[in-house]
Amino acid sequence: MRILITAGPTREPLDPVRFISNRSTGKMGFALAQAAQARGHEVTLIAGPVTLPTPDGVTRVDIETALQMLDAVECHLPAHEVYISCAAVADWRPAVYSPTKLKKAGMDGTIQLVRNPDILKTVRPLKDNKLFVGFAAETGVPDAEATRKLNEKGLDFIVANDVTAPGAGFATDTNRVTLLYPNGTREDLPLASKLEIATAIISRIEQLRSVTDC
Ligand code: C5P
């Protein structure tokens, strides 16, 4: 299969030296790319600003902002059967970008923000029979919020986790996730390395594809 994966944070610049971003390191998305490639899939990895090496055999596209990530997803999605949206896309960006460094004296302590587009929702019309998988990083029990996102974004399943749980979250090498499906099925995966979790997610995708293909 051809699998498109987004990973890492996006970075929303205010001026050439300042930006809004989040704590995502890209580890889960890069593990997915590595696991998918190891299973023999063709992988395109759209990455926000992270310091990770590109997994062998993976085609990487680097972007910085949410709008650039949206452009890259719209460009690459048609050539893929699966889209895994693992990126921590910034929900907001500064309304105005200053091409020169903003001076403290000229700022009044407020930054006006505008909403970034929801990439999954924007590309939903391109879904056809592609498989879409999303992530929901929550604080606390993720189920209710993750189920809302699963339905709202029209996903085939969502990978939910509590980023405050021991061994889970952004900069760790391990994760503990729950897979939630539109029919209400849930599957708790035990605490494991991000690569093991990624391999389990890719195998669920393979199972779903083989059912759809019959
Ligand atoms: O940020 P949120 O919790 O809504 O993320 C849920 C899912 O939606 C993730 O898979 C994320 O990659 C995706 N998303 C997106 N565009 C955004 C925000 C999130 O595609 N602007």
Side-chain angles (χ1 to χ4, degrees):
M1 284 186 285
R2 288 166 298 176
I3 304 184
L4 180 67
I5 300 171
T6 61
T10 67
R11 190 179 273 181
E12 312 297 329
L14 188 57
D15 69 15
V17 297
R18 305 180 178 96
F19 57 81
I20 296 172
S21 191
N22 59 63
R23 289 182 183 278
S24 172
T25 59
K27 282 185 176 178
M28 192 65 234
F30 275 60
L32 282 163
Q34 186 182 340
Q37 205 278 338
R39 295 277 306 165
H41 302 295
E42 242 179 79
V43 182
T44 306
L45 175 62
I46 300 174
V50 296
T51 55
L52 299 171
T54 310
D56 283 346
V58 166
T59 303
R60 174 169 173 174
V61 177
D62 285 309
I63 56 83
E64 185 168 314
T65 68
L67 292 177
Q68 289 166 356
M69 184 172 277
L70 173 60
D71 276 353
V73 170
E74 284 178 326
C75 170
H76 290 279
L77 188 60
H80 295 77
E81 287 87 42
V82 177
Y83 170 32
I84 311 177
S85 181
C86 188
V89 185
D91 293 317
W92 300 86
R93 67 179 183 276
V96 179
Y97 173 74
S98 167
T100 53
K101 187 181 172 190
L102 293 164
K103 303 277 180 274
K104 277 190 271 292
M107 298 173 80
D108 66 1
T110 58
I111 299 172
Q112 194 164 6
L113 302 174
V114 290
R115 282 302 290 260
N116 271 329
D118 187 296
I119 298 172
L120 272 170
K121 282 194 205 167
T122 308
V123 300
R124 201 171 167 183
L126 306 177
K127 187 171 186 295
D128 295 328
N129 62 347
K130 297 181 198 300
L131 211 137
F132 277 18
V133 176
F135 274 71
E138 310 294 341
T139 52
V141 178
D143 293 40
E145 192 57 9
T147 302
R148 188 184 63 73
K149 290 174 185 177
L150 169 75
N151 295 323
E152 190 182 275
K153 302 187 192 223
L155 305 173
D156 293 279
F157 68 90
I158 194 160
V159 183
N161 70 334
D162 173 1
V163 292
T164 61
F170 288 122
T172 59
D173 288 318
T174 57
N175 211 350
R176 186 195 295 274
V177 304
T178 301
L179 310 186
L180 300 167
Y181 294 84
N183 65 3
T185 315
R186 55 172 291 147
E187 186 185 2
D188 290 303
L189 300 185
L191 181 72
S193 73
K194 285 187 172 169
L195 190 56
E196 287 167 315
I197 302 265
T199 303
I201 292 168
I202 298 298
S203 93
R204 299 309 178 276
I205 289 170
E206 289 167 352
Q207 284 159 14
L208 283 174
R209 276 312 293 201
S210 65
V211 171
T212 320
D213 290 347
C214 285

